[in-house]
Amino acid sequence: MLLKNKLLVAGLLATVGLGGHKHLLGDDPGASRQVPARPIMVLGHAGSGFFTPINPFNPLPPSSLAGLQRALARGADGIEIDVRLSRDSVPFVYHDPTLNSMSTGEGCVSQYTAAELEKLAYRGGMIYDLFHDEHLMRLQTVLDQLPSGAQAPAIHVDLHEDEVCAAPRSPSRSPVLARALARLLRTYSIPPDRLLVLSGRPATLRQLRTLLPQVPLGLEITQNFDAGLQRAIREKMQAVVVSKDVITPERSTQAQAAGLQVVVFGGRSAKAVARLVRCHPDAIEVDNVPELLTQLGRPVEQE
């Protein structure tokens, strides 16, 4: 019955056009794509992106194992993974501030032990949940499922340090998260050039530089680009990780001229992806891996 339901829903989506879209560059459907001279690394943003009903239809939860594996199966060079800290200080893979938004749990990741979190299932809604049976996972469990050594994909670890369930004036758990992440990453043979740890908090990145001196670090910039860039230069970061709403070609060039790698995150529609490509970043954590691969003239692998 489950398979029959999946096929029925997939057929309905295809009938109403939710499984595909036109490939656009800017506003001109007939414009040819301009592949930049500098290769752009393609990473799946939270794996295969977020729950979306259209362009493309994606029923897989962000940063779930299935979502991460799908991005790699389609031909992405790597993945971006969202990490939070459990109550017992275990790095856990989960994107949203609260569990209520897309799981069977309530409250925050920080209120549960790792063993309790592993029992929680992802929930996106009736249609989405016909296509997956995903549960929350430790970062260690996810890394164990990925190729290692020379075959390791590029991995961007995005530290989510907001604590919406914490009591006022509670001490930050960011130092604990940094130490737990460092202990875990030391046990894996991930080449440094395929790893990036990013955060919006310079204090966390300074701590990680001491704990993991060989690992590249990136400062996330979601609002004031100029202030963020100056801070990244001052803190001797290796990269800036910039929101799709903030990046421009000029800003990308400015950061690269300062010796920083430019990573952009976001972009799902053909038009949005084309705009990011025109910014010539070093990497794009994209919500639509097949679209970006197509615009870069690269093959999209069949799953």
Side-chain angles (χ1 to χ4, degrees):
M1 179 60 73
L2 179 59
L3 177 59
K4 182 178 179 180
N5 288 340
K6 287 184 178 181
L7 293 173
L8 176 61
V9 174
L12 290 173
L13 291 172
T15 299
V16 297
L18 300 187
H21 56 280
K22 295 179 179 179
H23 298 290
L24 305 178
L25 181 64
D27 295 320
D28 181 5
S32 60
R33 295 180 184 83
Q34 298 178 1
V35 179
R38 182 192 307 110
I40 294 176
M41 181 179 290
V42 177
L43 298 106
H45 188 206
S48 296
F50 300 80
F51 289 123
T52 50
I54 187 172
N55 293 340
F57 170 62
N58 178 36
L60 300 179
S63 282
S64 64
L65 182 60
L68 298 167
Q69 291 176 330
R70 174 174 284 185
L72 294 174
R74 286 175 164 172
D77 302 306
I79 47 178
E80 182 261 357
I81 307 175
D82 304 295
V83 175
R84 295 182 177 274
L85 194 66
S86 70
R87 191 177 75 196
D88 51 348
S89 302
V90 176
F92 235 83
V93 176
Y94 188 77
H95 179 272
D96 287 6
T98 69
L99 293 164
N100 308 57
S101 63
M102 60 176 185
S103 84
T104 53
E106 296 182 355
C108 295
V109 167
S110 60
Q111 296 177 307
Y112 291 75
T113 66
E116 291 168 336
L117 289 166
E118 287 176 313
K119 297 177 182 177
L120 300 180
Y122 277 103
R123 290 290 178 264
M126 183 178 66
I127 293 180
Y128 296 123
D129 295 340
L130 288 172
F131 291 83
H132 76 86
D133 185 25
E134 293 294 294
H135 286 68
L136 277 67
M137 289 190 174
R138 303 170 190 237
L139 177 59
Q140 179 177 358
T141 303
V142 172
L143 293 177
D144 285 342
Q145 301 297 316
L146 300 176
S148 59
Q151 302 302 314
I155 301 173
H156 289 188
V157 180
D158 186 355
L159 302 184
H160 286 235
E161 302 166 73
D162 53 314
E163 286 283 355
V164 299
C165 297
R169 300 190 182 89
S170 295
S172 170
R173 299 189 72 211
S174 292
V176 182
L177 174 57
R179 289 194 295 271
L181 178 67
R183 283 195 300 270
L184 178 61
L185 291 181
R186 289 192 198 106
T187 66
Y188 289 88
S189 56
I190 304 173
D193 63 347
R194 304 205 185 164
L195 185 61
L196 178 72
V197 179
L198 61 112
S199 170
R201 300 188 180 187
T204 301
L205 295 169
R206 285 195 293 271
Q207 183 183 4
L208 284 167
R209 181 185 294 118
T210 300
L211 295 170
L212 297 168
Q214 302 303 317
V215 174
L217 303 173
L219 179 67
E220 186 171 3
I221 302 175
T222 58
Q223 293 183 353
N224 189 325
F225 177 82
D226 292 333
L229 176 60
Q230 291 308 309
R231 174 162 284 182
I233 295 171
R234 196 163 55 247
E235 298 286 347
K236 296 181 172 58
M237 294 290 102
Q238 283 75 41
V240 287
V241 185
V242 188
S243 165
K244 66 178 178 62
D245 299 320
V246 173
I247 195 65
T248 65
E250 294 75 21
R251 288 172 171 174
S252 185
T253 299
Q254 184 181 1
Q256 289 164 342
L260 291 160
Q261 297 284 303
V262 176
V263 180
V264 181
F265 63 92
R268 188 174 84 243
S269 71
K271 182 177 180 179
V273 171
R275 187 181 71 80
L276 299 184
V277 170
R278 289 197 297 271
C279 292
H280 302 298
D282 298 279
I284 300 177
E285 300 171 353
V286 70
D287 293 334
N288 188 344
V289 167
E291 179 61 44
L292 178 55
L293 290 172
T294 298
Q295 293 203 23
L296 294 177
R298 293 174 49 180
V300 179
E301 301 295 335
Q302 298 297 318
E303 298 176 66

